[in-house]
Amino acid sequence: MSVITPEVVAEHGLSEDEYQEVLKIMGREPNINELGIFSVMWSEHCSYKSSKKWLKTLPTEQPWVICGPGENAGIIDIEDGDAIIFKMESHNHPSFIEPYQGAATGVGGILRDVFTMGARPIANLNALRFGEPEHHKTHHLVAGVVAGIGGYGNCVGVPTVGGECEFHKSYNGNILVNAMNVGLAKTDKIFYSAAAGIGNPIIYAGSKTGRDGIHGATMASTEFSEDNEAKRPTVQVGDPFTEKLLIEACLELMATDAIVAIQDMGAAGLTSSSFEMASKGGMGVEMDLDQVPQREENMTPYEMLLSESQERMLMVLVPGKEEMARKIFEKWELDFAVVGKLTDSGHMVITHKGEVVVDLPIDPLALASPEYDRPWEPTPKQPEITSGDIDSSKDVFTSLKTMIGGAHLASKRWIWEQYDHMVMGDTLGIGRPGGDAAVVRIHGTEKAVAMSSDCTPRYVYADPVEGGKQIVAESWRNVTAVGAQPLAITDNMNFGNPERPRIMGQFVGCCQGMTEACNILSYPVVSGNVSLYNETNGEGILPTPTIGGVGLLKDSSKTMGLALNGEGEDLVLVGETKGWLGSSLYLREIEGREEGAPPPVTLETELKNGNLVREWILAGKVTACHDLSDGGLIVAATEMAMAGEIGAKISVPEGANPQAYLFGEDQARFLVSTKDGAALIVEAQKAGVDASFIGKTGGKDVAVAGIGSTSIAELKGANEAWMPEFMAGPDTND
């Protein structure tokens, strides 16, 4: 047995104070197996020790929320006995080290979080952020991550329906791969993870346990340095075909009355799943590692307990149901083993080859995980950028072509064409890009679920509070813009090192802004994930709190797309335009400046404007709708024109600065096409909503009155060219 030295403790990621707390809980020195368990359970990844103080402040309740944070995924009621179960999680560090398997197992892990609660997965989304295109690793990482997501999602038979992909130098040494899954369940067939029933059998099912992924949770809780390559063994290996079998076997067993509790083996594997189930149920556990299916010889207890091998589940069954369950899993060609039982001891007692190798008190370990109130400092306010601060002589259409054909706004067709978005047959066929959110029909009903992934890191960096408000508001707008009622969000909080007060301040400010937005928009947080230490050699990423939003369309036939689809229609701009340029894409891409206060978010205006636009969509009064975000009005109009291959001519109000008016990123705005703009503007005035007639659809150009025009073909050519040209270049990874 290894001697526990201060060096061994440090290698396990525990501080001196944390190790003293271990000694206090145990009343003795832990052995190496027990130290390993403390290490993963108290890692940042599993314990949320730097973030939980602030996560507790996020709004999590509304009448339609069935289950908020604390379970494997969040659950919302969508009426008629149907529930949506969803969550987003990060697989950042593994994807940087081994992009294909890191991304693939990110998809596999989030699928298990959802189907372990009784849901059939119906849609995947992903949010990807890579370093600058010129960086020597970026091409290699994009190719590997996209192939991993497509390979796993396509093989498991779940459509990948939406997402985002951005490039920025802050991600050069630490990419972000955030995976989201949405599943459908019946409200009377939802499964939870709290163990119950003294003597009830504990079941291991799925793939065999190997040596992959050991200490993956600990690796995900530290910042990168130059030895990243040495961490390859901590990246798990996924098998989507086994995952598909596991989904079907679990759902078949869930149709019976055999399951008491169920938990997937995710981060920290067998250790985390067994401890969490026992702690939630106030139970003890006896487990025999000799019964654990193993794919490698001479595995030690330490390796078995900390392995993060994929496609594995842990269950508590009703006594006497073991053989029925075994037959189901063996029919699906999966391993099935009774590995232990529940006790009333409150301890985790684990044996191997007849000897006790772990004896730990469950609640003290699970409930006494550290909770830090880390020092934080607010981000200094940045000055407002006005139209007088930019070069007003720059040609509008030259700037538009530069932006629309650049890495940020370029079509990501090269990526999404590698994903099967139509498998299962319920993705609504409004084309790609179809709308501001993806829409998936609830099979056999009129209903559909809208879902989107959103974040504007440059806003959060400039002002975490306003940026936190904006990400929630933009998610709400995107779900609204397809005609759905936004219901709830999952968050994926990607930040740098929380031990740096400036970084911790970004996290705190973002939570404060999100809280305000979630309250006013009635858009609660029901699940999520925190990924900290996204740094390399002390350089942190832009703060990137990705929001996955979900909403309900009661009549899927009323789904709204963004493509212009009629000649001579009116274009109506909803929302006030002041021409806000601070932290805008225009300022960054055209002026080369990443500065300035981001656009302020007035949440009451967001609510009022969005509710009116949704009313119009459901009443059939608009023919296309797009929210305004990156690049402002002219980019939104161009995207609508390119999607429908119908031109748009817009005008700039007299006295307004063209660059500011066309590229400003004021919030709470939508652009709609309609057959009767005058009627909508009257309705808007009555509702107290700012709305203006700004132009007409038609022709084959995007034009601005008095300034000029460019053909849709030329704009679309630039927009579609960047990504294939980039990926056709050499893989320069060294």
Side-chain angles (χ1 to χ4, degrees):
M1 193 67 73
S2 302
V3 177
I4 308 301
T5 64
E7 290 75 23
V8 172
V9 171
E11 285 170 5
H12 281 74
L14 294 171
S15 69
E16 287 184 32
D17 288 345
E18 287 168 350
Y19 186 62
Q20 290 305 311
E21 187 64 23
V22 170
L23 296 178
K24 185 174 160 186
I25 287 171
M26 296 197 63
R28 61 175 172 81
E29 290 267 349
N31 62 38
I32 192 66
N33 305 315
E34 294 163 338
L35 181 69
I37 290 171
F38 271 100
S39 167
V40 294
M41 292 296 290
W42 285 11
S43 68
E44 192 74 60
H45 189 77
C46 291
S47 75
Y48 294 87
K49 57 190 175 187
S50 296
S51 59
K52 56 187 171 185
K53 169 185 168 66
W54 297 101
L55 296 177
K56 291 173 185 175
T57 66
L58 295 171
T60 60
E61 296 180 355
Q62 283 293 338
W64 51 85
V65 175
I66 295 173
C67 178
E71 272 290 343
N72 287 288
I75 312 174
I76 55 174
D77 192 320
I78 60 164
E79 304 175 6
D80 310 310
D82 293 325
I84 288 295
I85 302 181
F86 69 105
K87 188 182 183 183
M88 181 182 281
E89 269 198 349
S90 59
H91 233 222
N92 303 335
H93 286 38
S95 298
F96 185 80
I97 296 167
E98 178 50 69
Y100 185 95
Q101 289 297 349
T105 52
V107 175
I110 199 65
L111 282 163
R112 287 192 298 281
D113 276 337
V114 168
F115 76 74
T116 191
M117 301 196 73
R120 177 171 290 281
I122 60 171
N124 288 326
L125 296 90
N126 55 76
L128 312 177
R129 288 188 166 77
F130 298 101
E132 55 197 338
E134 300 77 19
H135 190 268
H136 65 96
K137 278 187 175 291
T138 300
H139 181 287
H140 171 75
L141 291 168
V142 172
V145 165
V146 171
I149 291 170
Y152 204 100
N154 296 352
C155 291
V156 85
V158 178
T160 300
V161 299
E164 51 187 338
C165 174
E166 294 181 357
F167 298 84
H168 188 271
K169 62 185 178 184
S170 76
Y171 307 109
N172 281 350
N174 199 126
I175 64 172
L176 302 184
V177 175
N178 296 171
M180 177 175 169
N181 182 258
V182 178
L184 175 67
K186 287 296 180 182
T187 53
D188 60 353
K189 273 289 184 181
I190 293 170
F191 292 82
Y192 297 96
S193 58
I198 296 167
N200 281 356
I202 299 171
I203 307 299
Y204 172 119
S207 289
K208 290 180 168 61
T209 294
R211 290 189 170 94
D212 52 326
I214 294 171
H215 269 301
T218 310
M219 179 268 288
S221 306
T222 57
E223 58 187 85
F224 277 151
S225 59
E226 298 302 333
D227 67 344
N228 295 342
E229 297 302 311
K231 295 179 178 175
R232 281 185 189 274
T234 63
V235 177
Q236 312 92 322
V237 177
D239 179 353
F241 297 105
T242 300
E243 181 100 338
K244 174 62 175 170
L245 300 176
L246 190 60
I247 291 173
E248 299 305 330
C250 286
L251 292 177
E252 184 174 335
L253 185 60
M254 286 167 170
T256 73
D257 58 356
I259 297 175
V260 176
I262 183 167
Q263 171 85 24
D264 75 299
M265 295 192 219
L270 190 57
T271 291
S272 180
S273 55
S274 56
F275 264 89
E276 286 176 11
M277 291 175 78
S279 179
K280 286 176 181 175
M283 305 299 295
V285 168
E286 288 181 4
M287 190 155 38
D288 180 4
L289 294 180
D290 297 334
Q291 305 307 313
V292 171
Q294 299 159 54
R295 69 166 181 258
E296 299 184 46
E297 294 182 0
N298 301 316
M299 289 191 72
T300 66
Y302 184 95
E303 291 170 332
M304 281 188 270
L305 288 166
L306 300 188
S307 166
E308 293 183 9
S309 293
Q310 297 291 285
E311 294 88 39
R312 300 180 301 158
M313 307 291 281
L314 201 65
M315 294 175 280
V316 176
L317 294 187
V318 173
K321 301 287 187 180
E322 297 94 327
E323 286 312 305
M324 177 193 72
R326 182 188 300 277
K327 286 177 182 175
I328 289 174
F329 279 88
E330 289 181 350
K331 179 184 80 172
W332 291 101
E333 300 179 349
L334 296 166
D335 278 281
F336 180 96
V338 179
V339 294
K341 65 180 181 180
L342 296 179
T343 70
D344 61 358
S345 69
H347 272 239
M348 178 75 66
V349 179
I350 299 173
T351 59
H352 181 243
K353 299 188 184 304
E355 293 185 7
V356 174
V357 292
V358 169
D359 186 349
L360 290 171
I362 290 171
D363 273 355
L365 189 156
L367 302 180
S369 64
E371 179 176 332
Y372 294 128
D373 184 2
R374 295 204 184 275
W376 63 277
E377 57 188 47
T379 299
K381 294 289 185 183
Q382 293 204 37
E384 184 177 336
I385 303 291
T386 67
S387 56
D389 298 323
I390 63 167
D391 181 357
S392 59
S393 68
K394 289 186 183 293
D395 178 69
V396 164
F397 283 93
T398 301
S399 298
L400 175 62
K401 280 181 272 190
T402 299
M403 291 171 66
I404 212 81
H408 188 90
L409 291 177
S411 167
K412 303 306 187 295
R413 178 187 297 273
W414 183 91
I415 294 176
W416 52 252
E417 282 191 339
Q418 297 185 50
Y419 305 152
D420 187 339
H421 72 289
M422 292 303 291
V423 65
M424 299 179 77
D426 284 313
T427 310
L428 285 188
I430 52 175
R432 295 180 71 171
D436 288 344
V439 183
V440 175
R441 186 175 48 236
I442 302 301
H443 197 74
T445 76
E446 297 293 314
K447 296 182 297 188
V449 177
M451 55 200 83
S452 73
S453 165
D454 296 288
C455 188
T456 313
R458 62 184 187 277
Y459 291 174
V460 185
Y461 180 77
D463 186 331
V465 178
E466 286 299 314
K469 286 190 218 173
Q470 192 273 340
I471 52 172
V472 175
E474 182 169 349
S475 170
W476 191 88
R477 280 200 306 272
N478 279 331
V479 172
T480 291
V482 297
Q485 177 64 52
L487 293 178
I489 64 174
T490 181
D491 58 30
N492 204 151
M493 310 286 276
N494 306 276
F495 288 79
N497 185 342
E499 296 166 52
R500 304 179 198 273
R502 186 77 174 270
I503 301 295
M504 194 66 212
Q506 292 173 349
F507 185 87
V508 172
C510 182
C511 287
Q512 291 170 337
M514 287 173 59
T515 294
E516 192 177 336
C518 290
N519 278 326
I520 290 176
L521 299 174
S522 300
Y523 202 32
V525 181
V526 297
S527 61
N529 172 245
V530 176
S531 174
L532 301 177
Y533 296 95
N534 287 292
E535 299 202 356
T536 302
N537 298 327
E539 291 294 316
I541 61 164
L542 287 179
T544 311
T546 312
I547 297 293
V550 171
L552 175 65
L553 258 163
K554 292 185 180 180
D555 183 350
S556 61
S557 69
K558 294 180 177 176
T559 300
M560 183 55 56
L562 62 82
L564 298 179
N565 53 42
E567 296 270 343
E569 294 188 352
D570 295 336
L571 290 170
V572 173
L573 176 61
V574 176
E576 187 178 10
T577 301
K578 292 182 177 178
W580 196 279
L581 290 167
S583 289
S584 67
L585 194 63
Y586 178 88
L587 198 69
R588 189 180 83 188
E589 301 295 307
I590 304 304
E591 300 261 333
R593 298 156 60 191
E594 296 188 51
E595 61 183 293
V601 179
T602 305
L603 293 161
E604 292 79 7
T605 303
E606 292 278 2
L607 187 65
K608 189 166 54 173
N609 294 5
N611 284 345
L612 180 63
V613 167
R614 190 185 314 104
E615 281 180 30
W616 288 347
I617 292 170
L618 298 180
K621 294 178 179 178
V622 303
T623 55
C625 179
H626 194 9
D627 90 307
L628 271 62
S629 55
D630 291 349
L633 172 60
I634 194 166
V635 165
T638 299
E639 289 172 341
M640 295 173 81
M642 291 191 302
E645 298 194 343
I646 291 176
K649 184 174 184 179
I650 59 179
S651 57
V652 176
E654 191 174 342
N657 176 282
Q659 281 88 357
Y661 184 81
L662 294 169
F663 294 103
E665 295 181 5
D666 307 77
Q667 298 296 292
R669 296 187 300 161
F670 299 83
L671 183 58
V672 301
S673 60
T674 176
K675 292 180 168 59
D676 191 352
L680 294 193
I681 289 169
V682 170
E683 286 186 30
Q685 287 171 343
K686 287 179 181 175
V689 169
D690 193 292
S692 55
F693 171 79
I694 63 152
K696 286 272 192 182
T697 68
K700 295 297 180 184
D701 294 344
V702 173
V704 179
I707 292 178
S709 65
T710 299
S711 71
I712 294 171
E714 186 177 348
L715 290 166
K716 197 167 186 176
N719 184 247
E720 295 276 359
W722 184 85
M723 191 93 196
E725 287 176 3
F726 171 62
M727 293 311 298
D731 187 337
T732 55
N733 179 51
D734 56 9

